[in-house]
Structure formats: structure tokens, C-alpha cells
Amino acid sequence: MGRDRETQKPQQQVSYTVEQMVAVNPYNPDILPELENYVNEQVSSQTYSLDANLCLLRHYQFEPERMSTQLVARILVKALMAMPAPDFSLCLFLIPERVQMEEQFKTLIVLSHYLETGRFRQFWDEAAKSRHIVEAVPVNCACEWLIRGPNAGFEQAIQAYAIHVLSLTYQKVPRPVLAEAINIEGLSLDKFLEHQEANCGWILEKSHGKGQLIVLPHNEFNHPELKKNTADSIPLEHITRIFPILG
Amino acid sequence: MYETSFQSLSERLFKETPWPSVDAVAHYVDNDHVFCLLYREMWFRHLYARSSPTLKQRIDSWDNYCSLFQVVLHGVVTMQLPNQWLWDMVDEFVYQFQSFCQYRAKMKSKTAEEIALLRQCDQTWNVYGVLNFLQALVEKSTIIQILEQEKEGLEQFTATDGYDFNGGSNVLKVLGYFSMVGLLRVHCLLGDYHTGLKCLLPIDISQQGVYISVIGSHITTIYHYGFANLMLRRYVDAIREFNKILLYIYKTKQYHQKSPQYEQILKKNEQMYALLAICLSLCPQVKLVEETVNSQLREKYGEKMIRMQRYDDEAFAIYDELFSYACPKFITPSAPSFEEPLVNYNQLCICHLISVSSPLSSSLYMDAYRLQLKLFLYEVKQQQLLSGVRTFLKVYSTISLGKLASYMEVDEPTLRTILMTYKHKTHSVDSEGKISSNADVDFYINDDMIHVVESKPVKQYGDYFLRQIVKLEGVINDMDRVKLD
């Protein structure tokens, strides 16, 4: 839970220079080529930097004639992969309306809409129809999940988001609901569940005659009563105020 | 002197006309360079406030800011200036930038000479220039490090309101400080909410700070902070800060009645109530709002807020109306194309899912505003079924999916998507990726049974007891002293 977006960039060393540039000199038009290269690098090395991408979109906003719509599309695909963070809308806020009219962006906006409203069935159908757009980021078949681990490609990122929303919502989720959300069925799903059971604390359960139920790990969102304990505590700084008195 | 005399002299002697030009006064001050720059800065500010400046004047004012900031950045300025003045400089700088962008975007009414002049000076009020000046002030002043060190007790800044009592100048430091607020504002005007909030990060707004020392800066900070959080779906953060400042304005309003900013304060006050109404309609955490603020809010928007819960076309019209009234004046930072005729994109919608009822307009300035409005309404649309779910969840402790589906007149799979949407939209993600719940009514699903957990207001006894302990200790100390006398 709390899927950390930092997990998407394991290769700190490579990203260091561009990220530093963004931090030190964010309003310098000359870093535009580096930022553009960096988008491609994020795609191929499966890293992610929202700050760098927003910085590039900002430069495009200032100098629309330099804009590359292909790179904008890649940024948006990466932003979709960062769900549940609101990165996709953060990017859209900076992309002029006339650019958003283009067919590929319309599709991406529809995809984002399905994800935002939990309509995974429609999402996977639409994504299958528009492979050419999301293919900007490598799409792997579901079995590869086991080999390459999470956050590898587009599909895996969306599956991780689906699992995130499911674990906010369900303590126990029926197998068909899970299958639809992550778009894995039959044998591959069995394999996937096996993997999750071993690594992520999932438990499989037979429900009364209706098929399999999957017990998702506890968190404060699907067990709201867990949260109360943290809310009751008092931060140390507050206690320090009465230290002199106690002493 | 700065706060009152400038204002009253302007009112008395220069109500309709600009102040005497700098050339007329320069020889009284031995042509003091810094004085003349500061004088001209105020001269332009007075001009902008009274009348609409010409293009030439806009350009001159830009040049003056460039010289003035250069001087400050090189550390030549040795005097102390009131915080109010320094804030006004940053505020006016951003305002004139915004005003220039709007002026430039209105191409239709321009004469040929004006267009020629615009083309010539493409560096004037250039967005890179504006951002770089603010950024340079932040960096050169090392204000971020100062605030860091202050946390460790190595430096004093907040305690002295930014003033320097050891003979140094406060100008660069405080300008740097206010520039962070300026950056937040510019980024919000551009629709870059994430970066805007990032610029404000060094200022801890949960604590007292120099930004509170000037009412204009206080309001600007919180207004943009709240707005950015609203756009990022972090409603609870927005509600909390709006609540605090609205209460503050309510309590202190009377002291600002004579201030030149009084009207501006009232306007922002109203706008923030509208934004609060939006936040609370999307995320009904009313218990976060103080009673006085709440009753003001009900008085102003009570009826509208009830209608906003319905999520029909009328409700959308109200969201549209409140947003348009309360949003910042968004700008298009790039220069318009001087040749191409402007295309009107209003009829083409980003998506068939949404239509916008705003008036037609063909200026670039409207483009920026319309995009933000459209995306905001799009978000509202995605949340349109949630208030229905909320109503049902409130009256049940457990309910089966099938039953709730039939009450809501949808099929079961659709209901599952609605419930997941509810969860997704009520859980905000902060800039570090941490997730927190904003839900007033929460639930979980076990197979096909929904269990509702209404979050009871958690009473914070700890803080109350701590305060009582400190108070008691104070009383005992006082009594001890009495005995000794």
C-alpha cells in the first residue's frame, strides 16, 4: 500500500544530472533538449520523474512552436502509469486545448477517465484497441509479470493501480472482479495468485459455493478501524512543551 | 509613512493624474540611483492603479523592475524597508506580468504600431524573465537556508519579522521570501499547481511566519495554496487552510477598513468562500470548519450547496459559476501569433463527455481560463454519482451490493465501479506519494456485503490536557510569587 512513486526510478545515478538541472535551473530554455531526451530515457529505462516532465511541458507552454506532440504523448502515458497520483491531470493542465484535440490525446483522456472512475473492463478494451499509443512504453504479456516484477511496463503499472484501488475497497474480493480489474484470466491468473500469495500476503478462500474469494492484506483503508490508533497519538513536539514542568 | 502617507497624498493631490515624473524629483535627492528606482516603481504602481497604462509605459515599468532587482541582487541596497512595501513590490511585479499577458492576448484591438512594438520587444515581461527574477531573488537571498537554520535555532528571521536589527538590510532577504509566494502565484496562473506548491514548500504554513505579517501576502499565499490543493484533489488540506484564514479575516476585518487593500481583501474573502463551498460539496468534511465560518458560508452559499449535491445540469452550472468567479486570472505565457487568425476552440470539446457553458471568446487569455475550467468540471463529472452513494451509506451499517444497486437503479458491476471511484476520489496522494483518506463516510466490502464505518470525530484530548497542564503550572508559579512578596 502507499505505492511509492519513487519505486519507478531505481536508477538514481542516470537521472541525477537532469533532475539536478531541473532543481537548480528550472527556468532556463536551454535545457529543453536534455529534458526531451530524458523523457525517452524514462521510457526505456522504466524510470519516472514528474518534476522533469512538468518542466518540459512548461517549456512547451512558453514556446509552443518547439513542442513535440510525440513526447507529450509519452509523458501522458507515463503519467497514467503513475496512478493513483493525479499526475495525468497535472500534465493536462499545461497542454493547450488545441493539442488535446488530436486523436491520440483524446484516446489517452478517455483511458484516464476509465481509470479514474474504476471502469477497468472498458479500460482494457480501449487499451487493446489503441495499442499503438500506449506502445510508447513496452507492453509485456501478463506471464512476464512473474519474471520482471512490478512496474515493468504499462500493463503492469495499471495492474498495480487496479490492485491499489481494490485493496482500498475490499477486504475480500471475488475472483471474477479481480480478474476483470487486472485483465488476467484462467491459468495465468492462477499463477499470478500463487505469486501474490507467496510474496504479498494474499490468501485464497472458498466462498460458499460461488467460487474463489481473495483476502487482500489489511490496511487502514479497508479496515478503517485500524486508523483510529494513529489519530489518538500525540506528537513528541507537543509533549516537549511540558518537559520543564515534568522535570 | 509608507503605509498611510503615500496613500493619502495620492488621494489628495494625484487622484486623476500620475505622480511627478522621476526627472522632476531626482535633483532633490542628488540623483540617488536607488531612490529613483524605488520612486519609479511606486510611480508605475500608482499609474497602474489609476488608469490603464500604455504599451510604452508597460515596457518602461518592466525595465525599471529589471534595474531595481539587479541592484537588489548585487547587494547594493543597504537600507531597511517595511515588509508591506517589499510585499507590494513582488505583488505588483506579478500583477503587471499578468496584466501584460492579458493585454498582449487581446490582439483584435491593437494598432499596427503597437503590434510592431510588441514584436520588437519580445523580452519584455517575458515569462522566463519573470520566473528567473523571482527565482534569483529566492536563491541570492539564501532564504531557504535561512529558514532551515532557523528551525535549528541558528538564525532569527520569523522572530524579528524579517527585519535586521544589527544594521544590515532586510531588503534582499524579505524580497526573496516573498518571491516564493510570487512563484506560487505565477505557477498557479500558468496551471502548474504541483510546481507552485513546491515553490512554497520552504514556508511552513502551519506555523506563524513572515507571510502573515502583511495581510496581502497572507491572503495571496493561502488563496493560491488552497486553490492548488483543490485542483490536486487534496480537499482536506484546502478546507483546513481556507477555514483558518476566513476565520482570521472575519476577526480582523475591521482593522483593515482604511487600508488601500480593503476592497481586495473583501473580494478574496468572497472568492475563498466560493472555493470552500466547492471543496465541501466534493468532500463534505464540515466538521473541519469553524462555526463562524460555517454560518457565513451557509448564509452565502447554503442554498447553492444543496443544489450542488444533486449533480444535474443545474448543479454543473453552479460549479461552473463558482469556479469562474473564484479562480485566479489564468494566463497564456506565450506570445500570440501575430499573423494567424485566431481559431475558436470552444465548440470543439476535449471530450464528448463534457460540455461547457461559458461565453464564447476568442482571446488567448480566455483559452487558458477555459482549459482549467473544463478540466475542473471534468473532475466534477467523474465524481457526480458519489454524493448519491454517500447518502445511502450514511443510513446503513451493512448493506448488500445487490440491494444498494437496486436502490441506486444501477446494475451490480456498475455499482462496484462507483464504489471504487468513491474510494479512489476520497483518497488523496501527497507529493511524496503518501495516501490519506478524506472520506467522511468510509466503508469496506467483504465479498458482496458493504460494511459502513462512519468516522466519528476523534476528540483530541491530548492537546487539551497539555494546555491545561501548562496553564496550571503558570497559575502555581504566579501564586508562589505572591507568597514571596
Side-chain angles (χ1 to χ4, degrees):
Chain A
M1 191 46 50
R3 207 168 55 90
D4 195 347
R5 55 169 92 182
E6 297 301 317
T7 52
Q8 282 203 15
K9 44 171 188 182
Q11 293 166 330
Q12 279 284 326
Q13 284 308 311
V14 186
S15 61
Y16 194 63
T17 47
V18 180
E19 304 241 317
Q20 209 181 30
M21 260 192 260
V22 174
V24 174
N25 211 347
Y27 313 118
N28 177 1
D30 301 335
I31 63 174
L32 193 128
E34 276 89 353
L35 288 170
E36 291 188 327
N37 290 335
Y38 192 45
V39 173
N40 290 325
E41 196 183 304
Q42 288 175 52
V43 169
S44 59
S45 65
Q46 286 151 15
T47 56
Y48 181 61
S49 165
L50 174 67
D51 284 329
N53 293 350
L54 286 179
C55 189
L56 178 58
L57 289 177
R58 192 163 59 223
H59 286 302
Y60 285 158
Q61 194 189 20
F62 299 166
E63 301 173 89
E65 63 283 355
R66 293 173 77 176
M67 180 186 296
S68 146
T69 50
Q70 195 199 5
L71 286 175
V72 174
R74 287 190 181 164
I75 290 176
L76 284 176
V77 172
K78 287 298 259 184
L80 271 188
M81 291 166 63
M83 297 267 295
D87 299 9
F88 190 83
S89 22
L90 284 177
C91 294
L92 279 192
F93 287 136
L94 299 179
I95 301 172
E97 226 171 333
R98 73 191 145 71
V99 179
Q100 296 188 15
M101 298 299 160
E102 280 181 30
E103 213 47 51
Q104 54 174 345
F105 295 116
K106 278 193 197 160
T107 310
L108 284 168
I109 290 168
V110 169
L111 286 175
S112 139
H113 178 71
Y114 288 147
L115 288 180
E116 286 283 340
T117 51
R119 288 185 243 177
F120 292 106
R121 166 79 4 249
Q122 279 124 309
F123 171 82
W124 292 114
D125 290 347
E126 186 66 35
K129 270 189 269 167
S130 20
R131 293 239 144 210
H132 58 286
I133 297 168
V134 294
E135 237 157 41
V137 174
V139 185
N140 306 299
C141 84
C143 318
E144 259 182 74
W145 211 95
L146 303 173
I147 307 155
R148 308 197 45 181
N151 302 318
F154 181 74
E155 251 173 51
Q156 286 76 6
I158 303 301
Q159 281 160 351
Y161 164 68
I163 291 169
H164 157 80
V165 179
L166 286 174
S167 8
L168 291 184
T169 315
Y170 291 89
Q171 286 186 353
K172 297 179 186 179
V173 56
R175 182 177 162 122
V177 175
L178 174 72
E180 185 180 283
I182 59 176
N183 201 31
I184 307 179
E185 274 163 355
L187 274 180
S188 333
L189 183 58
D190 287 336
K191 248 191 214 162
F192 175 79
L193 288 174
E194 220 170 85
H195 176 261
Q196 293 296 93
E197 233 183 330
N199 297 298
C200 307
W202 291 21
I203 301 163
L204 306 187
E205 215 176 65
K206 278 262 166 272
S207 86
H208 21 277
K210 282 187 300 183
Q212 224 168 14
L213 271 184
I214 292 104
V215 185
L216 296 170
H218 289 193
N219 58 55
E220 61 174 284
F221 308 111
N222 63 19
H223 282 76
E225 65 276 6
L226 287 179
K227 203 174 71 182
K228 296 250 167 69
N229 301 332
T230 53
D232 273 346
S233 60
I234 306 165
L236 183 66
E237 300 96 79
H238 292 183
I239 306 278
T240 52
R241 283 195 312 218
I242 62 161
F243 273 3
I245 302 170
L246 296 172
Chain B
M1 165 82 183
Y2 171 77
E3 271 101 350
T4 51
S5 298
F6 177 63
Q7 185 61 25
S8 57
L9 282 176
S10 298
E11 196 61 35
R12 206 154 44 103
L13 302 169
F14 304 101
K15 209 169 162 94
E16 305 296 333
T17 53
W19 279 65
S21 80
V22 69
D23 305 327
V25 292
H27 64 271
Y28 293 109
V29 292
D30 302 330
N31 287 313
D32 183 280
H33 187 48
V34 176
F35 177 90
C36 289
L37 289 172
L38 288 171
Y39 181 85
R40 276 165 64 88
E41 197 271 333
M42 289 174 73
W43 188 89
F44 281 117
R45 205 179 328 148
H46 177 251
L47 179 84
Y48 268 79
R50 304 289 137 149
S51 58
S52 166
T54 64
L55 178 55
K56 180 82 178 58
Q57 284 165 334
R58 289 171 193 269
I59 295 170
D60 289 346
S61 177
W62 164 253
D63 290 339
N64 188 59
Y65 272 114
C66 291
S67 321
L68 178 62
F69 287 151
Q70 290 297 353
V71 169
V72 173
L73 286 169
H74 284 97
V76 188
V77 181
T78 50
M79 59 185 85
Q80 300 237 39
L81 290 178
N83 283 350
Q84 173 78 51
W85 190 343
L86 296 168
W87 163 253
D88 287 345
M89 264 186 228
V90 175
D91 188 44
E92 183 70 14
F93 179 63
V94 176
Y95 167 74
Q96 291 192 12
F97 164 63
Q98 174 194 317
S99 162
F100 183 83
C101 287
Q102 285 161 8
Y103 166 83
R104 185 178 52 186
K106 290 178 195 134
M107 287 301 286
K108 269 189 190 157
S109 51
K110 300 264 184 309
T111 63
E113 295 107 82
E114 278 175 321
I115 292 179
L117 190 54
L118 264 179
R119 253 193 243 214
Q120 231 172 54
C121 51
D122 57 342
Q123 287 310 304
T124 304
W125 291 114
N126 178 290
V127 63
Y128 286 118
V130 170
L131 286 168
N132 276 320
F133 264 125
L134 293 172
Q135 177 75 11
L137 286 167
V138 173
E139 271 165 27
K140 217 35 198 235
S141 66
T142 65
I143 185 66
I144 296 177
Q145 291 84 330
I146 293 177
L147 290 174
E148 263 321 302
Q149 292 200 313
E150 190 182 46
K151 273 187 212 147
E152 292 158 27
L154 299 170
E155 188 111 26
Q156 277 203 327
F157 182 75
T158 311
T160 61
D161 265 349
Y163 293 106
D164 192 324
F165 295 122
N166 301 321
S169 164
N170 69 334
V171 173
L172 180 57
K173 265 193 293 184
V174 177
L175 272 183
Y177 183 90
F178 286 136
S179 292
M180 294 191 281
V181 180
L183 281 171
L184 165 70
R185 180 167 160 203
V186 174
H187 282 298
C188 281
L189 293 177
L190 296 168
D192 192 349
Y193 309 109
H194 172 85
T195 312
L197 288 176
K198 220 175 141 190
C199 292
L200 191 70
L201 221 50
I203 303 180
D204 182 358
I205 57 160
S206 68
Q207 303 288 321
Q208 297 282 317
V210 175
Y211 74 97
I212 292 179
S213 69
V214 180
I215 180 81
S217 134
H218 192 181
I219 290 179
T220 304
T221 309
I222 301 302
Y223 167 78
H224 289 99
Y225 172 88
F227 186 80
N229 275 299
L230 163 66
M231 296 304 267
L232 282 164
R233 260 189 357 239
R234 297 176 194 151
Y235 303 117
V236 166
D237 296 326
I239 292 171
R240 216 173 259 138
E241 290 307 322
F242 281 144
N243 170 54
K244 268 201 267 176
I245 191 151
L246 289 170
L247 188 66
Y248 177 81
I249 297 175
Y250 182 81
K251 284 183 180 159
T252 57
K253 208 157 57 178
Q254 73 228 43
Y255 306 118
H256 297 291
Q257 259 163 17
K258 287 208 184 93
S259 148
Q261 279 108 354
Y262 189 59
E263 265 175 42
Q264 196 55 31
I265 294 172
L266 290 186
K267 171 128 193 264
K268 279 278 170 280
N269 188 52
E270 293 303 310
Q271 287 184 320
M272 286 192 287
Y273 271 111
L275 292 177
L276 184 61
I278 292 177
C279 289
L280 285 173
S281 300
L282 294 171
C283 170
Q285 291 274 23
V286 187
K287 60 173 185 282
L288 292 175
V289 182
E290 287 278 340
E291 207 32 60
T292 19
V293 177
N294 199 20
S295 65
Q296 292 277 309
L297 181 69
R298 298 287 144 194
E299 203 175 290
K300 293 176 205 287
Y301 293 111
E303 191 222 350
K304 282 189 175 158
M305 284 174 74
I306 292 166
R307 281 191 282 158
M308 279 156 94
Q309 288 306 314
R310 289 213 304 260
Y311 285 91
D312 47 15
D313 282 348
E314 194 197 359
F316 278 114
I318 299 174
Y319 274 106
D320 184 333
E321 175 198 323
L322 291 189
F323 183 88
S324 306
Y325 166 68
C327 69
K329 289 195 161 54
F330 298 110
I331 49 174
T332 303
S334 58
S337 143
F338 296 113
E339 287 90 17
E340 281 171 48
L342 286 155
V343 188
N344 193 325
Y345 294 105
N346 201 52
Q347 287 91 345
L348 322 160
C349 266
I350 45 162
C351 212
H352 54 281
L353 299 153
I354 147 158
S355 60
V356 172
S357 57
S358 297
L360 292 168
S361 161
S362 57
S363 78
L364 270 175
Y365 146 60
M366 292 302 281
D367 273 356
Y369 148 74
R370 215 177 33 242
L371 175 63
Q372 306 299 317
L373 172 68
K374 203 176 259 189
L375 291 171
F376 167 74
L377 288 179
Y378 192 52
E379 179 64 45
V380 172
K381 191 116 195 168
Q382 288 179 347
Q383 301 197 26
Q384 65 175 330
L385 295 168
L386 303 189
S387 77
V389 179
R390 198 172 269 126
T391 322
F392 282 111
L393 290 180
K394 270 189 181 151
V395 292
Y396 288 94
S397 58
T398 51
I399 180 170
S400 74
L401 276 169
K403 206 160 154 198
L404 182 55
S406 71
Y407 286 156
M408 291 191 62
E409 295 167 5
V410 293
D411 59 9
E412 235 183 273
T414 311
L415 179 62
R416 284 186 196 270
T417 66
I418 296 173
L419 290 171
M420 281 198 280
T421 311
Y422 181 90
K423 278 286 192 174
H424 171 58
K425 297 291 188 191
T426 54
H427 288 75
S428 63
V429 185
D430 73 8
S431 53
E432 271 118 49
K434 202 174 156 295
I435 290 158
S436 50
S437 168
N438 291 339
D440 53 330
V441 187
D442 215 338
F443 68 90
Y444 58 87
I445 306 175
N446 206 333
D447 194 4
D448 48 14
M449 201 48 131
I450 307 167
H451 300 260
V452 181
V453 186
E454 186 148 11
S455 67
K456 290 179 214 97
V458 190
K459 275 257 166 87
Q460 292 283 8
Y461 295 111
D463 199 46
Y464 178 78
F465 280 125
L466 282 176
R467 249 180 292 151
Q468 295 303 319
I469 292 170
V470 173
K471 214 168 167 187
L472 178 67
E473 184 68 13
V475 172
I476 291 174
N477 282 344
D478 285 350
M479 278 163 58
D480 283 350
R481 223 169 292 142
V482 171
K483 239 190 294 178
L484 285 172
D485 282 345

